[in-house]
Amino acid sequence: MAGGMISLDRVAARSCRAREEPPVGHGSSLLGSRERRARAPLTVTQASGRLSPAWRALPYRGLSLPSLPSLPLQGQLKPGANPEGSMELLSTPHSIEINNITCDSFRISWAMEDSDLERVTHYFIDLNKKENKNSNKFKHRDVPTKLVAKAVPLPMTVRGHWFLSPRTEYSVAVQTAVKQSDGEYLVSGWSETVEFCTGDYAKEHLAQLQEKAEQIAGRMLRFSVFYRNHHKEYFQHARTHCGNMLQPYLKDNSGSHGSPTSGMLHGVFFSCNTEFNTGQPPQDSPYGRWRFQIPAQRLFNPSTNLYFADFYCMYTAYHYAILVLAPKGSLGDRFCRDRLPLLDIACNKFLTCSVEGGELVFRHAQDLILEIIYTEPVDLSLGTLGEISGHQLMSLSTADAKKDPSCKTCNISVGR
C-alpha cells in the first residue's frame, strides 16, 4: 500500500493564533479525558475549524507528556446514546517504525489489528523534543507538538520545519481514533514511546544558505596570507609535542545547528579578512595575541577544493561564513564531497584564487567574516609567528557560538 505524505508547513503561520486559545491539557475532547466535563473546553470541532483540514498542530502550553497512559474514555459513548452495532474497542498501535529521517521530516508506520484498518478515521501523534543542556533553542521551544491527522495509508511522511529542528532528539507516541456520528471520538490506547534523532542539513539546504550569504558578501578585496591567532602556549605545544605541526582538531558546534561539519570534520581554523584601509590583517584578535601567518598559496591553489559549509550570526549585525579548504583526494575532501556544496575557486562570492599576469591572486568577501577550515596538518616552518599589537577582543570569539534563530538574513525554511 502506498504511503502518505503529510506537510505541516502551511499551519505554521496560524500557530500563534492557535496558542491564543485557552490552554488544552488532559482536559481536551481531542484526547477524551475527564477534565473536559468540568470546564469549558476547546473541542476538536472548534480546533479543526482554525487549522488545516487534513493536519492540525495543537499546542499545549506548559504541558509535557513524555509518556501518555491509555485514556479513560476509551470506548465510551455519550450518555444516553444508542450504540450502533456495539462498536468494538480499538486495538493499541504497536511496533512503531521510523525511517527516512531528515533535518525536518521523518517517515512513520505502526501495526494495528486488521479489523481497525477500515474503521480508523484519525491519527493522534504526540511529538516531544528531548531537552538537554546543549539543545538548540528554537522559536517554538515552549510548545510541545500534538499532531492530528486524517487517516492515510501507512507509512506516512511527517514534515514540518517549524517544529522539527536538525540534530535533535525527539520522542513520539501514536494513538488511533474513530470519529463517531455525534462528533465524539472512540480512541485507542497510546502506543509505546519511540525515540529518534533528526539529521543534518542536506546539500540543498546548504545551497539555500549559500545563496543567502552571497546576497550580502559585498565586493572582493585582495589578500596575501592566511593567519591563525592563539595563545603563545598553543604554538609552543605544537613545536614541542606535535613535530612543529598545527594538527587538525574536531570542529565545535558553533554556527547553524544543522551543519554537517559540526562535531564531525577535523581541521585547522584560519582567517583571511583584511582591514579596508591597510589591506593587512587586523591587529585585534578574540583568540590570543600570537599570530601565525602563512602565504595564501600554501593552503589555497588549483590543487585544493573549496566548499561552502555554513552561514550564521550571533545576534549581531555582522555575519560569518564557514568555508573548507581540502587538498584534492584527501580525507577531508572525501568527507566534504558528499555533504557540502563545491565552489569554483576562481569564481565565487566568498574566496577566490585566480591566475592574473602569470601569478596567483587571492580575494576575499569584504562584508563577511570568513572562517576557513584547512583539513590537513600545517607546518609552522612554512610561515611566520609573532605577537600582535592590538587587543584581545574576547566578545568576538565564535567558540561554540549559537546561531541567532530569528535572523531573517541567515536562516532558511528548515530547522534552525
Side-chain angles (χ1 to χ4, degrees):
M1 184 177 295
M5 171 65 178
I6 302 301
S7 175
L8 287 124
D9 293 349
R10 57 186 175 183
V11 306
R14 302 183 182 179
S15 64
C16 292
R17 183 170 63 177
R19 288 200 299 277
E20 295 170 1
E21 299 289 353
V24 183
H26 290 287
S28 98
S29 60
L30 166 66
L31 300 181
S33 67
R34 289 187 293 259
E35 187 183 276
R36 180 179 61 84
R37 299 192 293 270
R39 60 187 176 94
L42 172 66
T43 66
V44 174
T45 304
Q46 291 167 334
S48 63
R50 278 187 175 274
L51 302 177
S52 163
W55 275 86
R56 296 173 284 284
L58 303 181
Y60 287 47
R61 292 184 295 186
L63 177 65
S64 178
L65 301 176
S67 60
L68 296 178
S70 297
L71 297 173
L73 292 186
Q74 175 170 308
Q76 286 189 357
L77 294 178
K78 194 173 178 180
N82 182 24
E84 299 177 4
S86 298
M87 184 170 287
E88 299 178 358
L89 301 182
L90 291 170
S91 61
T92 299
H94 60 92
S95 304
I96 295 179
E97 293 185 4
I98 296 178
N99 51 40
N100 289 26
I101 301 170
T102 71
C103 66
D104 65 346
S105 68
F106 61 93
R107 176 175 283 191
I108 185 170
S109 64
W110 59 84
M112 51 186 170
E113 297 297 330
D114 292 342
S115 59
D116 295 339
L117 293 175
E118 299 300 326
R119 294 197 299 150
V120 168
T121 60
H122 290 79
Y123 303 143
F124 301 154
I125 298 181
D126 175 38
L127 181 67
N128 284 284
K129 179 182 176 183
K130 293 185 64 180
E131 295 289 348
N132 61 72
K133 64 180 181 179
N134 296 317
S135 62
N136 188 45
K137 301 300 183 183
F138 60 106
K139 59 184 176 179
H140 291 287
R141 61 186 179 276
D142 295 325
V143 186
T145 305
K146 306 297 179 285
L147 310 177
V148 182
K150 288 186 177 178
V152 296
L154 298 177
M156 64 182 181
T157 298
V158 179
R159 184 185 304 279
H161 75 267
W162 64 282
F163 62 82
L164 285 173
S165 187
R167 282 195 178 192
T168 303
E169 293 183 336
Y170 292 90
S171 63
V172 63
V174 298
Q175 184 183 47
T176 59
V178 177
K179 188 174 183 179
Q180 301 175 98
S181 58
D182 60 0
E184 296 291 324
Y185 283 84
L186 174 73
V187 297
S188 72
W190 284 97
S191 70
E192 74 274 19
T193 298
V194 175
E195 297 179 353
F196 69 98
C197 184
T198 48
D200 297 331
Y201 283 158
K203 270 188 177 181
E204 56 265 32
H205 303 131
L206 292 171
Q208 294 177 44
L209 277 179
Q210 176 185 331
E211 183 176 349
K212 280 182 164 285
E214 290 172 346
Q215 294 173 3
I216 68 164
R219 65 173 182 156
M220 303 294 285
L221 302 179
R222 290 187 65 159
F223 75 101
S224 59
V225 297
F226 291 104
Y227 56 94
R228 175 169 175 77
N229 301 306
H230 221 297
H231 301 291
K232 186 177 182 179
E233 292 75 16
Y234 166 79
F235 295 108
Q236 289 177 337
H237 182 271
R239 283 176 167 170
T240 305
H241 300 284
C242 302
N244 209 42
M245 305 289 286
L246 299 181
Q247 294 294 337
Y249 59 94
L250 195 63
K251 182 190 175 300
D252 62 14
N253 290 318
S254 60
S256 299
H257 196 55
S259 173
T261 60
S262 295
M264 296 295 292
L265 179 64
H266 288 77
V268 182
F269 267 88
F270 284 90
S271 300
C272 66
N273 289 84
T274 57
E275 292 183 325
F276 174 75
N277 55 341
T278 66
Q280 299 299 315
Q283 285 299 305
D284 298 326
S285 166
Y287 303 109
R289 294 182 57 84
W290 286 79
R291 173 173 293 167
F292 171 68
Q293 292 189 169
I294 184 169
Q297 62 268 26
R298 293 288 190 177
L299 306 184
F300 192 22
N301 53 63
S303 298
T304 311
N305 277 331
L306 176 66
Y307 296 92
F308 177 86
D310 201 4
F311 177 47
Y312 71 100
C313 72
M314 302 182 298
Y315 303 89
T316 55
Y318 41 89
H319 282 77
Y320 298 81
I322 299 179
L323 307 175
V324 180
L325 286 173
K328 293 180 178 179
S330 65
L331 184 63
D333 186 41
R334 294 196 296 272
F335 174 90
C336 296
R337 188 181 305 154
D338 297 329
R339 296 172 175 85
L340 306 179
L342 178 67
L343 301 176
D344 183 342
I345 66 169
C347 183
N348 66 80
K349 298 287 187 179
F350 310 111
L351 187 73
T352 60
C353 170
S354 58
V355 178
E356 299 180 17
E359 64 179 17
L360 292 178
V361 175
F362 304 91
R363 290 184 172 87
H364 70 83
Q366 176 183 357
D367 296 334
L368 290 171
I369 300 176
L370 299 181
E371 297 182 303
I372 312 299
I373 303 176
Y374 187 72
T375 62
E376 303 303 306
V378 177
D379 192 338
L380 285 172
S381 66
L382 299 178
T384 60
L385 180 64
E387 189 173 8
I388 59 176
S389 59
H391 302 284
Q392 185 172 345
L393 305 177
M394 296 301 294
S395 62
L396 298 181
S397 173
T398 61
D400 284 314
K402 298 303 181 184
K403 181 175 183 175
D404 177 4
S406 64
C407 178
K408 294 182 179 179
T409 300
C410 60
N411 280 296
I412 56 177
S413 295
V414 293
R416 304 296 188 252

